[in-house]
Amino acid sequence: MNDKTTASAPSNLSRRQALFGSSAVAAAMFLPELALAANAPILGAAVGDARMLPVTFKNNGIDMAGHLYLPKNFSESAKYPAIISVHPGGGVKEQTAGLYARKLAEQGFVALAFDASHQGASGGMPRLLDDPMRRVADIYSAVDYLTALRYVDASRIGALGICAGSGTAVKAASMERRIKSIATVSAVDVGAATRKGWDGKAPQADQIAMLDSVAKQRSAEAAGAAPAYVNYVPKVGDKTAPRDLQEAADYYLTSRGQHPNAPNKMLMTSLSALASFTGFDRLDLLTQPVLAIAGSEAGSLWHSQELHAKAAGPKELFIVKGATHMDLYDGEGVSIAMSQLSPFFTRTL
C-alpha cells in the first residue's frame, strides 16, 4: 500500500442518503434490449478530445440516462477498458462525473456517466428520492450495460466514485466482482456522513432528532400532506456551514457547476435511507485495487482515510496538499487527480 502527496493544489456536501432482485425470466426479458444497445451504430459529438454519445439503459424497469464518452480515435472493431463515473449526491452526469468521464476517454478509456435513478434525466418515482442502496443497484445495471457493448472488454471494467458516489461505488464494488478496480475522489460514505456529520464528530442526539423529524413527516404524508424537501448544500454565502459545504454551494448554485437537472433538493424522507446506509461495511471483500484521492484540507478526508485503512486489496491514498473537498471537482484539481487516475486504471484494468 502507498501513501503519496503532491505539493500543488488549486484554490477554492452535505450528503444525507430496495435494492434489486429480478428473476431469471425478468433478466431474460432485458436481453433483447441489451443486444440492441450493443449493436447500435456509434455516433456522438466531439467533446474536448473525446466523443460523447447520449445513451439509455434499463435498471429493473427504470430507464437510465447516461453519457457514454469514447476515445477520439475510437474504433468499433477494437476492445476498450471501461470506467463507470458515479456522480455525487445531488449531482447529475453533466457536472463533475461527466468531466472525469471525458478526461478518462481522452486517455483511451470508454467511460460512462449517468444520472442516478429518481434523479436528473433518469426515470424512477418518486422524483428526488435519494436512497443510496438504489444507487448501488444503478451501478450494477451500468455494469450490465457496459458488458453488452461489443467494443468494451467486459473483463476490464472499473469504477470511479466522486463524493457520495464513492460510497455507493465502493459498496457496489465490494459485492460486484465484474468491477476490477475502483478509484474515489473526495470520497464520502454518505451513510456515515448522515449519522456523524460532515466532520464525523456530530453527537448521536443530532441523528435521533433528525430521525424524529423524518418520522413526523412520513406520518404527515400518510395523512395526505405534501412531500417536504431538504437541501443538499446551503445557500451561497451561508458562513455557518462547514467550509467544504460553503464551497459546494459555490459549485452547485452558481454558473461554475449549476445545472437545471440538479435542483439542490431531495425528499426529506430520504434521510432515514441515508442514515441506514453503510458504504464501507464490507471492505473485507474489497480485494480489487483501490485508489483514494482527497484534499489535505477537506473536512471529508476521514472517509478516504477509513477506506484506505480497511480495504482488503492493494490500495493507495493520494493526498492533494492544500486542497479542499470541492477543489477536486473541476479546474486544476481535476488535472491533479487525473495524473493519478489515468496511470492507476491503465495499470489495473
Side-chain angles (χ1 to χ4, degrees), residues 12-331:
N12 265 38
L13 260 172
S14 159
R15 303 295 186 256
R16 316 290 195 190
Q17 337 258 300
L19 201 112
F20 50 106
S22 56
S23 66
V25 172
M29 291 172 63
F30 290 133
L31 290 177
E33 292 183 70
L34 292 173
L36 286 174
N39 293 307
I42 308 306
L43 304 172
V47 182
D49 287 328
R51 295 164 61 186
M52 189 275 284
L53 177 69
V55 298
T56 59
F57 56 96
K58 285 291 186 182
N59 174 16
N60 291 326
I62 293 175
D63 290 320
M64 305 291 292
H67 286 165
L68 191 67
Y69 291 84
L70 307 171
K72 184 176 182 179
N73 297 318
F74 173 79
S75 170
E76 295 185 48
S77 61
K79 287 280 191 180
Y80 295 89
I83 299 167
I84 299 166
S85 183
V86 187
H87 67 68
V92 288
K93 62 185 179 301
E94 289 85 359
Q95 296 170 324
T96 186
L99 176 59
Y100 274 100
R102 175 171 68 82
K103 294 289 187 180
L104 288 164
E106 291 173 348
Q107 297 299 311
F109 300 93
V110 167
L112 173 66
F114 64 91
D115 291 336
S117 55
H118 307 269
Q119 310 285 327
S122 288
M125 296 296 291
R127 302 306 297 165
L128 302 179
L129 171 69
D130 194 338
D131 182 337
M133 282 307 297
R134 296 192 188 206
R135 295 191 184 220
V136 172
D138 295 344
I139 296 169
Y140 293 153
S141 69
V143 176
D144 294 341
Y145 171 74
L146 288 175
T147 61
L149 297 176
R150 63 185 179 278
Y151 45 84
V152 166
D153 184 342
S155 67
R156 300 166 69 197
I157 294 176
L160 167 64
I162 305 162
C163 189
S166 296
T168 51
V170 166
K171 183 79 166 185
S174 297
M175 302 293 168
E176 175 55 85
R177 304 307 297 181
R178 293 176 297 174
I179 297 175
K180 301 303 183 183
S181 65
I182 180 168
T184 63
V185 170
S186 295
V188 170
D189 174 350
V190 72
T194 303
R195 293 186 294 274
K196 300 178 182 180
W198 187 254
D199 61 2
K201 300 176 182 178
Q204 189 179 59
D206 288 356
Q207 181 183 169
I208 293 173
M210 177 194 71
L211 294 174
D212 282 341
S213 296
V214 172
K216 291 177 182 177
Q217 179 59 30
R218 290 187 67 89
S219 293
E221 291 182 21
Y229 299 87
V230 293
N231 293 334
Y232 282 96
V233 302
K235 294 180 180 179
V236 174
D238 182 355
K239 300 301 183 183
T240 66
R243 175 184 175 183
D244 287 326
L245 302 188
Q246 295 179 42
E247 294 180 0
D250 179 66
Y251 178 85
Y252 283 104
L253 305 181
T254 72
S255 58
R256 177 182 166 196
Q258 193 170 37
H259 192 276
N261 284 350
N264 187 37
K265 64 180 183 178
M266 65 174 164
L267 286 169
M268 178 184 175
T269 50
S270 299
L271 293 174
S272 57
L274 297 176
S276 66
F277 180 68
T278 49
F280 295 172
D281 62 328
R282 293 311 309 268
L283 295 180
D284 58 312
L285 296 178
L286 191 65
T287 59
Q288 304 96 312
V290 174
L291 168 63
I293 302 173
S296 66
E297 304 308 306
S300 58
L301 177 58
W302 56 284
H303 296 274
S304 296
Q305 292 170 328
E306 179 181 352
L307 172 61
H308 178 255
K310 296 181 179 179
K315 51 197 175 183
E316 303 171 52
L317 175 62
F318 184 80
I319 304 296
V320 184
K321 189 175 294 184
T324 62
H325 181 93
M326 298 303 300
D327 283 336
L328 304 184
Y329 275 50
D330 57 3

